[in-house]
Structures are given as C-alpha cells and as structure tokens.
C-alpha cells in the first residue's frame, strides 16, 4: 500500500511517497524564499506552492518509479500553518485523490514526531519539537501527544530567524547563526523559563539591542544559542524526571543544530536516557513525514469513510487536539 503525502504549511511544498512498512520511495520539495530582510509573505508562499506543486508531484512519482494509479491514499498537512498555503496543499490532495482514493488530513507537528520515531526507532520518548513556528516538549499519554512545556510567544526557529533578519543574515538564518556561534564568547543575556514554559522574544530584543550597541555578532550568536538551548534542556530534563521516561527525541527544523544535539545528548547521558535526533534530511518540513503519518492514520482506522466534504484545513490545530489511534 502506498501513500502520497503533501506538505505545504509554510515555506516548503513537499511531496513524499511512503509504503505501509515505512519505506520512503520519494521525498521531493521546493522551497519559497522571501526577499532578503522579509519574513514569509503568506500569499507569495501560496503562489509559489501553486506554481511548483505539479512539478514536485511529478518528480516524486518519477523517483519512486510509479504512476498516480499506484497510489492508494493521499494525505496532506491540514494544520497548524498559514491558511493560504494549507489550502493549496489541500487542493492538490483533492485533485490527486480524484474522489476515488482515501484522503487524510494530517497534523504537521505530529508528522514531525512520527517521522522521527520511524527513522530512529525511538519508542516512547519525551519529544523536543523545535521548528520555525513551534516549540513544544511533548510525550504520549492517554491517547494523545500531550504538551508538557511550550513557548509562550514565538517558536525557537522564528526567534533565531528574527534575530538573523535584523542583523542582515540571509534566509534561513538558523544555520548561519550556528556557524558564527562557533567563534563566539559569552555575553550576558536574560534566561526566561516560567514553570515548564519558555519565552524567546524578549531575549531576541536584547540580542538586537546588543548588536546595535556594537557587541560582536559571533558573541551574540554564541550566547543566544547557549541561553535558548539551556532553557530547552532544563524543561526537557524536568519532563523526563516527572514522567519517568528514558528516551528523548529531537525533531523539527532546529533539530539540525549540532550544538543543540550536543547539549541534549549530554543531559541524557548524565540521566541514563537514550537520545535520538531525526536525520537531517527529515528535520525540516517534508512530504515523507505527511505520507507516513497518513499511513498510520489509515492503519488505525481503515474503515473511516472517504468523505471529501469532511476534509478541511485547520490552521490553528494543536498537537494535543489529535487522537493517536496507532499507539496503545
Ligand atoms: P513549523 O514546523 O513550526 O510549522 P516550519 O515549517 O517553519 O515550522 P521547519 O522546516 O520544520 O519549519 O524548520 C525551519 C526552521 O529551522 C527555521 O526557523 C530555520 O532557521 C531552522 N533551522 C534550520 N537549520 C538550523 C540550524 N542548523 N540551527 C538552528 N536552526 C535551524
Ligand atoms: Fe515544520
């Protein structure tokens, strides 16, 4: 059985093709890049997806060596995300499902978790999900991925990107900040953890202030990473301790950061917990994660009716709103 999954929540239009054993046959994408100094303009991103969608779908089918006739299920990211972008993904999914294939709406955050679990064989982890718009510490409990801590303002990736944009780094600034940080030294910055929740935006403001006051960019990048990642490690360690779990899974676009991997790895080692990171190709937004999560939904609820009219986008759907039928 084959599922074709479409990702289109924000900057990336991705198409993945995955079988019911978790073999990834294709994972193609095209990414919208905003003009320098700008964040994502939703309508422009949606236009990018409209224009590039057919080609990405064609490429994915070609790489998998199949035609659309071989696809059994079509899944798409239904939220959370930018409504104009989500709508393009849903329209492509409806077109491909062509009223004859089951069409499944997938939560984008859960897809970031499930591709990580598939590729690392992590079983029951505390999940550190850090991407552009989202920062959540999650774990499975009573039928759902429950959120034990999260950002109170912007996501970690967007915090890094916002600082990068303000100091003239190109898009996406995350990897550039990581590189600059390697040659930096400590400067004092605030540290904001409230209970199990985190706040990044005030720290970004202070970093921009320090940059304008003449502090070295490398030093700010280093210190900003140390503070942001320490905050995450603190909350993750507390979640592990309270839940009595023995695994951590790092996923989402910021999982690509090697300093974050190192810091979480050290904490896990000291506690005797296993640490896994999603492979870098699947850290950022991709279609394979949507296809695999489509398969999981299908397997846990095979007889759900194929009613296209019930399918819609959910721009504000939270991770903990979705029932997880595939974990007992
Ligand atoms: P979401 O999953 O919240 O909808 P998204 O779709 O914007 O977010 P992803 O593709 O999962 O995001 O992640 C993109 C983010 O990852 C960007 O903010 C980018 O700066 C960040 N990022 C990528 N590589 C690195 C890195 N090496 N270090 C830090 N951040 C990184
Ligand atoms: Fe994402």
């Amino acid at each position: 059985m084959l599922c074709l999954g479409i990702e289109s929540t924000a900057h990336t239009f991705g198409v993945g093709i995955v079988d019911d054993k978790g073999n990834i046959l294709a994972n193609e994408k095209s990414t919208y890049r905003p003009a320098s100094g700008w964040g994502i303009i939703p309508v422009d991103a949606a236009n990018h997806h409209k224009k590039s969608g057919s080609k990405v779908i064609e490429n994915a089918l070609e790489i998998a060596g199949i035609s659309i006739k071989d696809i059994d299920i079509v899944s798409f990211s239904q939220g959370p995300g930018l409504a104009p972008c989500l709508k393009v993904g849903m329209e492509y999914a409806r077109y491909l499902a062509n009223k004859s294939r089951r069409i499944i709406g997938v939560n984008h955050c859960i897809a970031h978790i499930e591709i990580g679990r598939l590729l690392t064989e992590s079983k029951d982890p505390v999940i550190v999900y850090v991407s552009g718009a989202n920062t959540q510490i999650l774990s499975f409990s009573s039928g759902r991925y429950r959120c034990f801590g999260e950002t109170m303002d912007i996501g970690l990736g967007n915090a890094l990107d916002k600082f990068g944009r303000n100091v003239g780094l190109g898009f996406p600034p995350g990897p550039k900040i990581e590189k600059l940080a390697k040659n930096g030294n400590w400067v004092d910055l605030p540290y904001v953890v409230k209970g199990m929740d985190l706040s990044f935006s005030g720290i970004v403001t202070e970093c921009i202030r320090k940059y304008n006051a003449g502090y070295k960019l490398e030093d700010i990048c280093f210190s900003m990473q140390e503070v942001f990642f320490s905050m995450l490690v603190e909350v993750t360690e507390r979640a592990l301790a309270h839940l009595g779990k023995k695994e951590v899974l790092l996923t989402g676009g910021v999982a690509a950061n090697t300093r974050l991997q190192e810091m979480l790895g050290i904490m896990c080692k000291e506690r005797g917990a296993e640490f896994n990171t999603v492979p870098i190709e699947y850290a950022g937004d991709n279609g394979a994660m949507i296809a695999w999560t489509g398969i999981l939904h299908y397997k846990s609820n095979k007889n759900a009716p194929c009613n296209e009219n019930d399918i819609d986008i959910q721009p504000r759907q939270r991770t903990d709103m979705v029932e997880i039928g595939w974990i007992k």
Side-chain angles (χ1 to χ4, degrees):
M1 192 182 58
L2 292 177
C3 180
L4 182 150
I6 299 178
E7 161 57 34
S8 75
T9 51
H11 42 71
T12 298
F13 189 92
V15 175
I17 299 173
V18 177
D19 72 13
D20 53 346
K21 310 260 178 328
N23 297 304
I24 299 169
L25 280 63
N27 186 40
E28 290 300 292
K29 61 179 83 163
S30 168
T31 301
Y32 152 81
R33 298 202 177 276
S36 149
W38 292 76
I40 294 174
I41 299 167
V43 176
D44 288 355
N47 281 334
H48 161 272
H49 297 347
K50 253 183 230 163
K51 281 197 195 116
S52 57
S54 307
K55 189 75 197 143
V56 181
I57 293 165
E58 251 173 54
N59 289 348
L61 289 168
E62 195 182 322
I63 284 171
I66 57 169
S67 86
I68 188 68
K69 291 195 189 74
D70 301 311
I71 296 291
D72 303 287
I73 314 165
V74 178
S75 60
F76 70 99
S77 258
Q78 70 178 167
L82 304 169
C85 299
L86 292 170
K87 207 157 162 274
V88 176
M90 181 177 71
E91 279 160 7
Y92 269 113
R94 280 184 195 274
Y95 171 73
L96 292 177
N98 193 20
K99 297 195 189 337
S100 59
R101 292 179 186 86
R102 171 96 175 263
I103 176 167
I104 297 176
V106 165
N107 177 281
H108 175 88
C109 314
I110 289 172
H112 273 295
I113 298 173
E114 291 302 345
I115 196 75
R117 286 211 311 133
L118 171 72
L119 298 174
T120 64
E121 295 180 14
S122 172
K123 288 187 182 60
D124 184 19
V126 166
I127 300 131
V128 181
Y129 165 42
V130 278
S131 59
N134 291 286
T135 297
Q136 294 184 321
I137 313 298
L138 303 142
S139 203
F140 181 81
S141 174
S142 309
R144 294 190 189 199
Y145 284 114
R146 311 277 170 182
C147 185
F148 293 91
E150 66 189 313
T151 178
M152 294 181 289
D153 40 59
I154 54 179
L156 176 56
N158 285 355
L160 294 166
D161 294 347
K162 189 174 170 196
F163 173 75
R165 271 201 308 279
N166 274 276
V167 303
L169 300 176
F171 183 87
K176 292 183 180 154
I177 291 171
E178 178 175 13
K179 215 164 154 208
L180 287 164
K182 290 195 199 309
N183 299 313
N185 293 304
W186 176 251
V187 293
D188 272 346
L189 288 176
Y191 179 100
V192 192
V193 174
K194 297 190 177 177
M196 288 292 279
D197 292 330
L198 312 149
S199 164
F200 299 110
S201 66
I203 303 174
V204 172
T205 304
E206 176 58 12
C207 289
I208 295 169
R209 196 193 66 77
K210 280 204 155 63
Y211 177 76
N212 291 334
Y215 283 76
K216 267 178 72 186
L217 184 56
E218 286 87 346
D219 292 351
I220 304 173
C221 290
F222 169 77
S223 309
M224 184 172 62
Q225 282 202 163
E226 294 302 299
V227 165
F228 284 171
F229 300 167
S230 301
M231 288 160 49
L232 264 180
V233 171
E234 178 193 327
V235 173
T236 308
E237 181 165 23
R238 212 154 39 235
L240 272 176
H242 283 308
L243 294 165
K245 298 211 179 185
K246 287 279 169 209
E247 285 172 85
V248 169
L249 171 64
L250 176 62
T251 194
V254 189
N257 189 293
T258 51
R259 178 60 182 147
L260 176 57
Q261 293 170 14
E262 183 184 35
M263 287 170 71
L264 280 167
I266 292 168
M267 180 274 285
C268 286
K269 197 162 171 222
E270 286 176 352
R271 299 189 57 84
E274 195 182 312
F275 175 63
N276 285 296
T277 306
V278 68
I280 187 156
E281 186 189 346
Y282 301 96
D285 291 351
N286 64 87
M289 70 184 193
I290 306 302
W292 174 236
T293 310
I295 294 261
L296 292 173
H297 273 291
Y298 177 79
K299 285 210 259 188
S300 65
N301 191 5
K302 282 197 174 104
N303 300 322
C306 174
N307 185 355
E308 268 208 53
N309 297 330
D310 292 341
I311 294 291
D312 207 350
I313 59 169
Q314 304 274 352
R316 295 192 170 272
Q317 187 183 56
R318 280 180 58 86
T319 319
D320 49 16
M321 286 162 70
V322 180
E323 302 271 353
I324 305 297
W326 54 87
I327 304 179
K328 295 294 165 235

